Amino acid sequence: MRARRGRILRFAARYMLQSWWYELFLPRIGLARVTARSRAARMTRIAERFHVLAVELGGLMIKVGQFLSSRLDVLPPEITKQLEGLQDEVPPVPFPAIRELAEAELGVSLDRAYAWFDEVPVAAASLGQAHRAGLAPLDAEVLGSDAVVVKVQRPGIQQVVDVDLEALRRVAVWLSRVQAVSRRVDMPALVEEFALTSLAEIDYLLEAGNAERFAENAAGDPRVSVPEIVWERTTRRVLTLSDVTAIKINDVAGLRAAGIDPSEVANVFASVMFGQLFGDGFFHADPHPGNIFVTPVLASGNGTDAAGSRPFQLTFVDFGMMGEVSESLRRGLRRLVIAVAARDGKGLVDSIGDVGVLLPSADTRELERAMTQLFARFGGMGFAELQQVDPKEFRDFAVEFGDVVREMPFQLPENFLLIIRSMSLVSGVCSSLNPAFNIWEAIEPFAGQLMRDEQGNLVQDVMKQAGSALSVAAALPGRLDAFIDRIESGGLAVETPRIDRRLARLERAARRIISAVLFGALLVGGALLRGTDEVFGIVLMWASVLPLLHAVFAGWLGGGGSRGAG
């Protein structure tokens, strides 16, 4: 485990140093063009090497790569493109190890717990694997079916997760000390949120509870079905649930063969997911194609609906990664959806601030202008229409407003990452089912209802704001009188310290810091470049001696001078 942690930390340290050298130091000494020319190749190389690392290590590293591949908003396309093919598919654990763990958890042999148990897994992932099995007659009578799927945790995965999280926490601390990162996002907080999600995924009792809660919320929606949990055969590391295998949601050929219109599936899927997000706020945070089945439903008559498509249900599985939206965040998201549906650039920026994505200190005027122009040009277009737009238009927009978006101080509130992940997966699945799918049309019905709901609360909000303003106005004269009394009595004073001496100390400290930074930059840069240009690398390393001497001896001489003066 120590070797595993070391590999993760060495990888992070190496590429953090490389990024600091190319993205921060070289531009400051006039070599920004060198940085720009090599950026695409460097980003691609980093992503390729992380892909290899994630596949070799497994565990949480695969999930980290999947998360990074979805962050098109903050990561360059060279990285996201290389990581988008990273799948959570690993070689299965040999069955004897699975049998040993399952029997230890259940307290009985598999032959007694199940009527039969398939030794070949139907799926193997980084945290666990799934096997088909059959229940004994008495258990099957209670469930209504004997076919079940049994998820068994990978032996030793708890230790692997603990090591990976420890390494990620250390990397987050490193990144939090980089001003360009810390002013935009709280990395330790993000890692802790990722840790909570990851630890929840390896607690099958929690997943079983999530499944039942999800089923209760969807009980009144005939479009959704959820597998039943067999609690008598479920523990923290073994989960038994009814086998609901059907047509994968992205199997377009299979859907058509069953008489189901893929476009209708896309519309229903988007509607169901938006309903979870803006309804009760408890949503499936991992709706990739492997976790959603389309189950044909027997219907009376000719077996088709008015549109000519056979009735179906969306069957959700795998409830290890669930998100929950607080009431305050849900209100902010409602305003955001309304702004998007209304193509309101200023309203969109205001709502982003309301949900806590933008820091209060952000100057949003340029961002408002960018969003207004974005809606004016591309608002209302579906995926297929956007594909027909001249790429030069996107490039021109990116050139004009890219820096505005990148420099804006963003922060992500609790659970917001899961919302982004969930919605990006929904958009991808729907576009694969129907290339002409228009996400705006999916949002608009919710926006209309949200607008009507917000109007009902408008008068109440106005009255609250008016009351708050009146209370401030009533207290203002008294506060002004107290402030004036303090000035007249001399109670308000400004103290002036020994400014000259402090400025001298600060100046000496600043010079030593600059020398120390320059020493580190030259030394690290020389070490990095030595592999490609040995002569230049050695020259830089020798040159680092001069600022080192200044940092050491200037502080000693300056300190002696100040002591003599005192």
Side-chain angles (χ1 to χ4, degrees), residues 63 65-67 69-72 83-84 86-87 249-250 265-266 269-270 273-274 283-292 316-318 321 417-433 437 439:
K63 294 192 174 294
Q66 290 175 328
F67 166 71
S69 71
S70 67
R71 295 311 306 265
L72 300 172
L83 296 179
E84 64 186 3
L86 190 60
Q87 300 295 322
I249 193 170
N250 64 340
V265 173
F269 182 45
M273 290 303 299
F274 280 125
F283 64 96
H284 200 298
D286 196 22
H288 64 74
N291 286 341
I292 315 292
F316 289 76
V317 299
D318 195 348
M321 187 183 295
L417 284 176
L418 294 181
I419 296 173
I420 294 172
R421 172 182 172 81
S422 181
M423 292 301 105
S424 64
L425 287 171
V426 170
S427 179
V429 169
C430 291
S431 295
S432 70
L433 291 169
F437 176 78
I439 192 70

Side-chain angles (χ1 to χ4, degrees), residues 2-284:
R2 177 178 293 181
R4 178 186 184 90
R5 179 172 57 248
R7 285 192 66 184
I8 297 171
L9 294 177
R10 285 194 299 274
F11 182 93
R14 176 180 180 180
Y15 290 107
M16 282 178 64
L17 280 173
Q18 186 189 90
S19 298
W20 173 82
W21 173 258
Y22 281 101
E23 302 297 335
L24 295 178
F25 181 72
L26 291 184
R28 289 185 178 181
I29 61 174
L31 297 178
R33 291 185 180 181
V34 174
T35 297
R37 280 199 304 268
S38 63
R39 182 176 290 118
R42 283 187 290 107
M43 295 298 105
T44 300
R45 190 159 54 249
I46 292 173
E48 289 172 345
R49 290 177 179 172
F50 182 83
H51 192 290
V52 171
L53 179 75
V55 171
E56 289 180 355
L57 294 181
L60 290 186
M61 291 301 102
I62 289 179
K63 294 192 174 294
V64 170
Q66 290 175 328
F67 166 71
L68 295 176
S69 71
S70 67
R71 295 311 306 265
L72 300 172
D73 54 336
V74 295
L75 291 175
E78 292 83 7
I79 288 182
T80 57
K81 186 176 179 62
Q82 285 294 328
L83 296 179
E84 64 186 3
L86 190 60
Q87 300 295 322
D88 193 3
E89 296 174 357
V90 298
V93 176
F95 185 70
I98 291 295
R99 174 189 286 275
E100 181 181 355
L101 187 149
E103 290 180 345
E105 283 290 305
L106 296 173
V108 296
S109 68
L110 289 184
D111 296 334
R112 291 186 60 188
Y114 303 96
W116 56 272
F117 198 100
D118 191 350
E119 295 186 6
V120 179
V122 294
S126 56
L127 303 182
Q129 59 191 53
H131 295 256
R132 284 198 173 93
L135 293 176
L138 289 178
D139 293 331
E141 186 177 348
V142 175
L143 184 66
S145 172
D146 67 336
V148 294
V149 170
V150 183
K151 287 179 63 175
V152 184
Q153 199 176 101
R154 293 180 76 92
I157 194 62
Q158 179 69 60
Q159 291 81 3
V160 171
V161 169
D162 290 342
V163 168
D164 289 357
L165 288 177
E166 180 187 346
L168 290 174
R169 287 182 176 112
R170 185 171 299 183
V171 173
V173 171
W174 293 348
L175 289 172
S176 68
R177 293 170 180 165
V178 180
Q179 187 178 10
V181 176
S182 62
R183 71 185 180 192
R184 293 189 58 178
V185 65
D186 186 347
M187 284 302 302
L190 288 186
V191 169
E192 289 309 314
E193 185 171 342
F194 180 75
L196 288 174
T197 303
S198 302
L199 293 172
E201 284 198 75
I202 57 175
D203 185 346
Y204 290 164
L205 288 175
L206 181 60
E207 179 176 345
N210 288 339
E212 290 206 334
R213 179 180 174 185
F214 188 86
E216 290 174 4
N217 290 346
D221 190 345
R223 304 171 301 173
V224 178
S225 67
V226 180
E228 291 188 51
I229 304 299
V230 184
W231 285 101
E232 294 78 7
R233 296 290 180 264
T234 295
T235 71
R236 197 179 70 84
R237 298 199 291 173
V238 175
L239 173 63
T240 304
L241 63 165
S242 57
D243 188 354
V244 293
T245 306
I247 306 169
K248 270 191 174 183
I249 193 170
N250 64 340
D251 183 359
V252 175
L255 292 173
R256 288 182 175 144
I260 297 173
D261 181 5
S263 298
E264 181 63 16
V265 173
N267 294 334
V268 172
F269 182 45
S271 176
V272 166
M273 290 303 299
F274 280 125
Q276 294 173 26
L277 190 60
F278 297 110
D280 53 57
F282 188 66
F283 64 96
H284 200 298

Side-chain angles (χ1 to χ4, degrees), residues 73-74 180 183-184 345 349 352 357-359 361-374 395-411:
D73 54 336
V74 295
R183 71 185 180 192
R184 293 189 58 178
V349 174
I352 290 174
V357 174
L358 279 177
L359 291 173
S361 60
D363 184 356
T364 59
R365 288 172 295 182
E366 283 298 310
L367 186 59
E368 289 173 8
R369 189 168 72 90
M371 293 300 101
T372 300
Q373 293 201 20
L374 178 69
R395 286 196 299 270
D396 292 344
F397 184 87
V399 168
E400 185 174 1
F401 296 108
D403 289 339
V404 173
V405 176
R406 279 191 293 270
E407 292 301 318
M408 200 61 57
F410 289 100
Q411 65 179 13

Side-chain angles (χ1 to χ4, degrees), residues 274 278 330-352 354-355 375 440 443-458 461:
F274 280 125
F278 297 110
R330 187 154 63 247
R331 284 197 300 269
L333 288 173
R334 285 173 180 167
R335 297 189 192 103
L336 189 149
V337 169
I338 292 171
V340 169
R343 319 290 194 263
D344 179 4
K346 185 179 185 307
L348 176 61
V349 174
D350 290 342
S351 63
I352 290 174
D354 289 342
V355 299
F375 280 132
W440 309 100
I443 290 177
E444 281 176 344
F446 289 91
Q449 181 60 48
L450 293 174
M451 286 179 180
R452 290 189 288 273
D453 293 343
E454 288 295 309
Q455 287 172 356
N457 297 325
L458 182 59
D461 289 343

Side-chain angles (χ1 to χ4, degrees), residues 305-327:
D305 58 19
S309 175
R310 182 178 178 181
F312 61 87
Q313 284 184 320
L314 295 177
T315 303
F316 289 76
V317 299
D318 195 348
F319 300 92
M321 187 183 295
M322 302 296 291
E324 187 165 10
V325 186
S326 65
E327 182 58 35

Side-chain angles (χ1 to χ4, degrees), residues 378 381-391 394 431 434-437:
F378 307 115
M381 289 187 177
F383 184 74
E385 292 174 292
L386 288 172
Q387 288 181 314
Q388 304 303 316
V389 176
D390 185 352
F394 291 122
S431 295
N434 177 15
F437 176 78

